[in-house]
Amino acid sequence: MTEKIASVELGAGGPRVGVQGLGCMGMSWAYGPGADAGQARATLEHALDLGVTLYDTADVYGGGENEKLIAPFIQAHRDEVVLATKFAIVRDPSDPYSRGVRNDRAYIRQSIEGSLTRLGVDTIDLYYMHRRDVNVPIEETVGAMAELVTEGKVKHLGLSEVTGEELRAAHGVHRIAAVQSEWSLFSRDVERSVVPAAAELGVGFVPYSPLGRGFLTGSFVSADKELTEDDFRRTQPRFTGDNAAANAGLLAPVREIAEARGATPGQVALAWVQQRAEVHGLAVVPIPGTRRAERVTENASAVGLRLSSDELSRLEPIAGRVAGDRYADMAFTSAGRE
């Protein structure tokens, strides 16, 4: 692939970005040993060469280390990239997989200053509420986030894992550019309420884990048998035990379509996500994550793959047959509040 991918406006009045972004989390957290700084920089640079301009991180990834890791790249290409980061998840240092949530104004102001410092920038292009704290009215949270726009510390606002009702309430306070939630051949709960609300309001959608955290690519079959002890996927019900075995059997049509089209299973999975834009009438910019430049090339090449109606029909039943939830505790997801 030599040509750059196309670009799209991420929500009405939102930033213009490549139609595929890059999730940076796995470079330093969640999926076993992280990438070294040189490997990470090479991957980030290669993505930019291919027209990938949306780079996604969060203050919680590696306890801030992920923001620090990508900071030199962001600073070197500040006018070329759209930087997205997030606040809200509070970790216990003694338990890396525990989580609390804060959406209050004091915490938001503390969080933005920390992210700006670690990233070495003056402004965040897209600032997300990472998870919803139901004890704080979302109108108050978005009001506090809107103050950051007024102050020039943030350009656009985003929300992650919210319901359609929550999105409408938030959008009534300040324009929301993008919603980020898990959306893939294995995870389609967002289509119930938040995707229709986003389309109605002109909000862009940023699917995270569009490759099912690597499961849809065939890179692993059973997390508890194949992945390292520190890999987050070992805590996710659909990737372990009998669930993993059952779900691996659902991938046959993905592999068959990939073989027939001279593509990889991951490219078929990404093409399916990308075509949701036409199905639902909104901008869709998936953010597959990787540490390797060659995977960026593979993922970006999926932009040119268009699945036929017959192929889409063969893929349609998969999500309804998936065994196991995407998290052990679904309370932190939009699906857990619908």
Side-chain angles (χ1 to χ4, degrees), residues 118-187:
R118 286 186 293 272
L119 288 158
V121 297
D122 298 322
T123 306
I124 303 299
D125 298 309
L126 178 56
Y127 198 45
Y128 287 102
M129 180 191 79
H130 204 166
R131 291 293 186 270
R132 172 91 165 91
D133 179 357
V134 296
N135 297 310
V136 179
I138 198 164
E139 294 87 351
E140 291 185 17
T141 299
V142 176
M145 295 170 71
E147 292 176 7
L148 304 180
V149 177
T150 301
E151 295 167 12
K153 295 178 180 180
V154 169
K155 292 183 180 178
H156 303 280
L157 302 185
L159 305 171
S160 181
E161 290 288 359
V162 293
T163 66
E165 181 180 353
E166 290 165 345
L167 175 58
R168 288 188 177 91
H171 200 75
V173 176
H174 188 280
R175 183 178 59 79
I176 303 299
V179 168
Q180 181 178 132
S181 286
E182 186 165 355
W183 197 8
S184 73
L185 280 170
F186 264 32
S187 299

Side-chain angles (χ1 to χ4, degrees), residues 1 4-6 18-20 50 52 267 270-271 274-275 286 297-306:
M1 177 177 176
K4 290 191 175 185
I5 61 174
V19 294
Q20 188 180 110
L50 295 179
V52 174
Q267 288 172 329
L270 283 172
Q274 289 158 185
Q275 284 181 236
T297 300
E298 177 185 333
N299 293 342
S301 295
V303 170
L305 178 61
R306 183 172 180 81

Side-chain angles (χ1 to χ4, degrees), residues 13 15-16 76 80 101 109 118 120 131 164 188 242-243 289 293 296 300:
R16 192 157 195 89
E80 303 169 75
V101 180
R109 300 200 72 85
R118 286 186 293 272
R131 291 293 186 270
R188 297 181 61 179
D242 292 342
N243 287 344
V296 174

